[in-house]
Amino acid sequence: MTNQDSFLLSFEGIEGSGKSTQIQLLTQKLEASNYTVEYFREPGGTSFGEKLRSTILESTTPINPLAEANLFAASRAQLLSEKVLPLLSKKNHIVILDRYLDSSIAYQGMARGLGIETILDLHEHPPLNTRPICTFYLQIDIETSMQRQQNRGNEKDYFEKENINFYQNLIDGYELASTRFPERIQIINGKSDQNKIHANILSALKEKTGIEL
Ligand SMILES: Nc1ncnc2c1ncn2[C@@H]1O[C@H](COP(=O)(O)OP(=O)(O)O)[C@@H](O)[C@H]1O
Ligand SMILES: [Mg+2]
């Protein structure tokens, strides 16, 4: 059971949209207000999940889309039952996920062509039916993503090697998820400066949870 004072939040958006940057800013702010913040990245977060993470991200051969969707779901189910749900049953805990359900919708549902319903079906049963109280979708365009990835300059992984068309599908997937789940997904303009984005995230958080920081 989820404790009333504990919340699950997720951050979504294509590579370079500012997820890591904003998670760090929000974590600092929450910790200053005496919340205990736990952060997990997907896929991964458990030792089983980290193994799946490297299996997926370091793959040099194409993975079948349904296999890929199920690998992500397996990692997620383990993360939820082993870590996230026990934390949420405590007091004053905020769990922040760097990518979650909407990444599956965008990547496997849209970009890999499985369709949104296949992904939602996979997430109907416990623990995969767990939904964040609020999802921040950092919305940027492909050019901004490419520019920021270039600036970052680290080696590209399995997904980052994909072409422009793939990126457009991801954006379409996030837009579709946002339309389908408007109550949960908060669209944040990821192109403004990082302090402005941070302020927008804080006001969206206040609106959804009543938490004022
Ligand atoms: N609002 C912003 N404006 C300009 N650059 C940003 C902004 N937010 C993040 N960046 C930079 O863009 C790059 C990608 O940001 P990051 O937070 O790592 O994105 P993600 O985790 O979504 O891939 C980093 O080099 C970061 O410093
Ligand atoms: Mg990141």
Side-chain angles (χ1 to χ4, degrees), residues 2-3 5-11 38 40 79-80 84-85 88 93-98 100 127 129-136 184 205 209:
T2 301
N3 192 293
D5 308 308
S6 295
F7 296 103
L8 178 62
L9 303 172
S10 65
F11 279 76
E38 302 280 349
F40 300 104
L79 178 65
L80 285 163
V84 174
L85 294 175
L88 291 177
H93 275 62
I94 310 278
V95 178
I96 300 181
L97 300 178
D98 186 340
Y100 191 56
N129 61 352
T130 307
R131 299 289 179 268
I133 189 162
C134 188
T135 296
F136 302 104
R184 173 174 60 82
L205 185 69
T209 64

Side-chain angles (χ1 to χ4, degrees), residues 27-213:
T27 299
Q28 284 164 1
K29 194 82 183 169
L30 285 163
E31 285 178 344
S33 298
N34 292 322
Y35 283 96
T36 303
V37 182
E38 302 280 349
Y39 156 87
F40 300 104
R41 63 173 184 172
E42 284 220 318
T46 62
S47 63
F48 172 71
E50 288 296 336
K51 280 180 205 148
L52 287 178
R53 182 185 177 90
S54 25
T55 306
I56 299 167
L57 297 183
E58 287 164 16
S59 174
T60 49
T61 52
I63 305 171
N64 171 272
L66 193 56
E68 189 178 286
N70 279 286
L71 284 170
F72 276 91
S75 161
R76 182 169 299 155
Q78 187 65 27
L79 178 65
L80 285 163
S81 61
E82 191 181 315
K83 302 274 174 76
V84 174
L85 294 175
L87 286 166
L88 291 177
S89 69
K90 298 183 181 179
K91 215 171 150 46
N92 288 339
H93 275 62
I94 310 278
V95 178
I96 300 181
L97 300 178
D98 186 340
R99 296 187 173 284
Y100 191 56
L101 172 62
D102 307 298
S103 281
S104 296
I105 292 174
Y107 279 78
Q108 288 79 44
M110 202 64 136
R112 300 276 187 235
L114 287 179
I116 183 171
E117 301 306 331
T118 305
I119 304 304
L120 291 175
D121 284 353
L122 260 178
H123 292 80
E124 242 182 59
H125 303 286
L128 287 173
N129 61 352
T130 307
R131 299 289 179 268
I133 189 162
C134 188
T135 296
F136 302 104
Y137 164 40
L138 301 174
Q139 191 182 46
I140 59 165
D141 50 47
I142 300 178
E143 292 70 35
T144 307
S145 171
M146 295 298 161
Q147 193 59 53
R148 289 187 188 169
Q149 286 183 58
Q150 249 171 31
N151 295 347
R152 201 162 49 179
N154 47 7
E155 209 181 319
K156 294 192 184 319
D157 69 24
Y158 178 70
F159 286 111
E160 290 172 327
K161 282 185 213 139
E162 298 286 349
N163 60 27
I164 298 287
N165 193 30
F166 185 85
Y167 269 83
Q168 189 54 54
N169 286 335
L170 290 182
I171 291 174
D172 292 348
Y174 280 127
E175 299 296 326
L176 181 67
S178 303
T179 310
R180 177 92 176 233
F181 305 109
E183 298 290 298
R184 173 174 60 82
I185 303 179
Q186 192 70 40
I187 301 177
I188 304 281
N189 176 9
K191 287 186 72 173
S192 18
D193 82 84
Q194 60 180 57
N195 293 326
K196 174 92 176 67
I197 298 172
H198 178 56
N200 289 341
I201 287 173
L202 292 184
S203 61
L205 185 69
K206 184 184 167 210
E207 209 172 289
K208 295 271 180 197
T209 64
I211 293 179
E212 199 159 359
L213 298 166

